[in-house]
Amino acid sequence: MAAEHVARDADIAPVAALIADPTRAAILTALLGGRALAAGELARLAGVGAATASAHLSRLLDGRLVDVVRQGRHRYYRLAGHEVAEVLEVLARVSARPLVRSLRQSRQARMLEEARTCYDHLAGRAGVGLLDRLREGGCLTGEEVTPEGERLLAGLGVDVAAARAARRRFAPECLDWTERRAHLGGALGAAVTGALLELGWYVRGPVPRAVTLTDVGRGGLAALFSGKELTSHTPVT
Amino acid sequence: MAAEHVARDADIAPVAALIADPTRAAILTALLGGRALAAGELARLAGVGAATASAHLSRLLDGRLVDVVRQGRHRYYRLAGHEVAEVLEVLARVSARPLVRSLRQSRQARMLEEARTCYDHLAGRAGVGLLDRLREGGCLTGEEVTPEGERLLAGLGVDVAAARAARRRFAPECLDWTERRAHLGGALGAAVTGALLELGWYVRGPVPRAVTLTDVGRGGLAALFSGKELTSHTPVT
DNA sequence: CGGATATTTCGCCTCCCGTCGAACCGTCAC
DNA sequence: GTGACGGTTCGACGGGAGGCGAAATATCCG
């Protein structure tokens, strides 16, 4: 989903190992509330002796998953930054992944599979289709926009020059994890997506990252790409 | 960061334990490319015997971190969905967290700490400040908008009724992990943030989730909240 | 059908790691 | 000071998990 922004390979095992222990997981989860808690409190919450908790906290400190602030004879521990909280939250989401989704959830999931934003660019079947159409139409070769592409995008109101001048990567492929194929990311992806929303071809949906194709958008895209839909699927109803 | 959307507590330890083993981590990382790989290939990539790899894959399968597709005498394994890929990516990010950031990174980090979007609503010091100002001004009590709040928000072009009718939670607090305090999330948070962008009080920055306060916005907010800035800090330069 | 190859299952060994009790070091209260 | 309490360090114990080789199973190819 965020392949564009993935850090180069780092050993994830050590960090995972820190979270893998049930006691440490309980400690970290207790700290998810944002408050700093004393060592003894954490030991109690985790249901373990003070010695054990201390050992765990020491390891979490080494691994820079928690910070400690000493205050008198107490030591208050808290999570070491929002990245750590994010890991715990994402991990909680996959851990809670139900075997079978509710109707509402599966409908939302289908909407997100169809079209959603990935940070600030279009993803899902629509995102993958868009990149395919752009490449098929010779608008994009590698990471460069061709003259045809420049014309087509200008027609949409995309400022390609501004995107090229942006401080982020211009037009990287971003791996789409529901499609397992690439969609268009980077400054250009953001600019194109912004233009599509601006034109009202896509509108943001009720679910945070969902966007949906409008009738206007369907017509516009069909005209742009000579009748080819971005995706062959019927829209989610 | 995404406390609004966090699943209820699930034991994250088992999933973390699956990732915690270096061999399994290597297997999962190899699968991050999105392609399905055969068991033997994965064994080779992970630098381990076929028997060992098989055992690991079996456990990953049990834990629903990978899917398998049998094709003749080969068994191709792939990650079981985008959530799993997300976990690995976020985990890679914290694992790679440098001890000291580069100047550019720290500047970007400061921008994000100041103001950014969290899914589709305002976060960072600006987001926390906004919620504080709304509460101080008596615009919001608990999760309800007061008549004063209704007037103030209407002046900004926020359609409170529409937000209230949305299918997502109306105005939940969303824990902000850089501030360790709450900001306004949910349908109302999204609507307010949309209005602020629409008015040009905030504009999206070069970095994916960054937004920055404009001069117009500074004036508008000052007028709204009788001179109080959302944050006492000088803007990031 | 029979040999070759891919993958899994089965023991077995080893070693790491979480646990606890007890001793030790700081800090607070009187 | 001196006792009480929070927290960490030390040492020993036990269980669980990963590693491998060998045998079993499944699939392909001729």
Side-chain angles (χ1 to χ4, degrees):
Chain A
M1 202 99 117
E4 177 191 346
H5 308 280
V6 73
R8 75 152 192 303
D9 286 13
D11 287 359
I12 60 178
V15 176
L18 283 176
I19 309 175
D21 178 74
T23 303
R24 283 195 294 265
I27 290 175
L28 292 169
T29 303
L31 291 173
L32 247 189
R35 298 204 324 125
L37 298 175
E41 181 84 355
L42 289 169
R44 195 183 58 73
L45 287 170
V48 74
T52 303
S54 177
H56 286 306
L57 288 168
S58 169
R59 295 190 53 184
L60 290 174
L61 213 48
D62 272 351
R64 297 178 53 221
L65 260 55
V66 301
D67 281 340
V68 65
V69 34
R70 308 182 47 154
Q71 215 168 93
R73 60 178 163 181
H74 293 276
R75 298 201 180 178
Y76 290 98
Y77 290 87
R78 59 177 196 181
L79 296 186
H82 65 98
E83 297 104 327
V84 178
E86 257 172 72
V87 171
L88 297 175
E89 287 170 2
V90 175
L91 219 34
R93 216 175 313 159
V94 305
S95 302
R97 206 167 26 155
L99 277 74
V100 52
R101 298 189 221 251
S102 75
L103 253 63
R104 173 175 170 184
Q105 280 176 321
S106 75
R107 185 177 163 279
Q108 291 186 352
R110 282 205 315 277
M111 284 188 60
L112 289 173
E113 281 166 23
E114 179 60 32
R116 65 174 179 280
T117 53
C118 168
Y119 291 89
D120 54 3
H121 53 266
L122 190 63
R125 269 193 292 277
V128 170
L130 176 63
L131 179 58
D132 285 349
R133 292 298 94 68
L134 287 174
R135 290 212 185 285
E136 280 174 16
C139 299
L140 210 59
T141 62
E143 206 167 316
E144 260 318 304
V145 175
T146 63
E148 294 105 285
E150 197 104 24
R151 274 194 298 278
L152 182 142
L153 291 174
L156 290 176
V158 177
D159 188 344
V160 177
R164 197 176 273 121
R167 288 195 290 284
R168 52 196 286 212
R169 187 123 164 252
F170 176 55
E173 298 202 333
C174 183
L175 183 61
D176 194 299
W177 264 98
T178 54
E179 295 299 300
R180 299 177 207 271
R181 306 242 343 259
H183 59 248
L184 181 63
L188 186 62
V192 171
T193 304
L196 291 174
L197 288 169
E198 194 72 32
L199 288 168
W201 289 14
Y202 279 92
V203 294
R204 293 191 180 275
V207 187
R209 295 152 58 214
V211 293
T212 54
L213 182 61
T214 61
D215 289 335
V216 180
R218 198 183 324 277
L221 288 171
L224 259 195
F225 297 119
S226 50
K228 280 191 184 171
E229 295 270 334
L230 283 197
T231 71
S232 54
H233 292 64
T234 55
V236 180
T237 52
Chain B
M1 205 100 120
E4 176 191 346
H5 307 281
V6 72
R8 75 150 193 305
D9 285 12
D11 20 349
I12 60 180
V15 176
L18 284 175
I19 310 175
D21 178 75
T23 303
R24 283 194 294 266
I27 289 175
L28 292 169
T29 304
L31 291 173
L32 248 190
R35 297 202 326 125
L37 299 175
E41 181 84 355
L42 288 169
R44 195 183 58 74
L45 287 170
V48 77
T52 303
S54 176
H56 285 306
L57 288 168
S58 168
R59 294 190 55 186
L60 290 173
L61 213 48
D62 272 352
R64 297 177 54 220
L65 261 55
V66 301
D67 282 340
V68 64
V69 33
R70 308 180 46 153
Q71 214 169 95
R73 60 178 164 179
H74 292 277
R75 298 202 180 177
Y76 291 97
Y77 289 87
R78 58 177 197 181
L79 296 187
H82 65 98
E83 297 104 326
V84 178
E86 258 172 72
V87 171
L88 297 175
E89 288 169 2
V90 175
L91 219 35
R93 216 175 312 158
V94 305
S95 302
R97 207 167 23 155
L99 276 74
V100 52
R101 299 190 223 249
S102 74
L103 253 62
R104 172 175 170 184
Q105 281 176 321
S106 76
R107 186 177 164 280
Q108 291 187 351
R110 281 205 316 278
M111 284 188 60
L112 289 174
E113 281 167 22
E114 178 60 31
R116 66 175 179 279
T117 54
C118 166
Y119 291 90
D120 55 2
H121 52 267
L122 191 63
R125 268 193 292 277
V128 170
L130 176 63
L131 179 58
D132 284 349
R133 293 298 93 69
L134 286 174
R135 291 212 185 285
E136 280 174 17
C139 298
L140 212 58
T141 62
E143 206 167 316
E144 260 318 305
V145 175
T146 63
E148 295 106 284
E150 198 104 24
R151 275 194 298 278
L152 182 142
L153 292 173
L156 290 176
V158 177
D159 188 344
V160 177
R164 197 176 273 122
R167 289 197 289 283
R168 52 196 287 213
R169 194 131 157 245
F170 176 55
E173 298 202 332
C174 183
L175 183 61
D176 194 301
W177 266 97
T178 53
E179 295 300 299
R180 298 178 207 271
R181 305 240 346 258
H183 59 248
L184 181 63
L188 186 62
V192 171
T193 305
L196 291 174
L197 289 169
E198 193 72 32
L199 289 168
W201 289 13
Y202 279 92
V203 294
R204 292 191 181 276
V207 187
R209 295 154 56 216
V211 292
T212 54
L213 182 62
T214 62
D215 288 335
V216 179
R218 199 185 324 277
L221 289 171
L224 258 196
F225 297 120
S226 49
K228 280 191 185 171
E229 296 268 334
L230 283 197
T231 70
S232 53
H233 292 64
T234 54
V236 180
T237 53

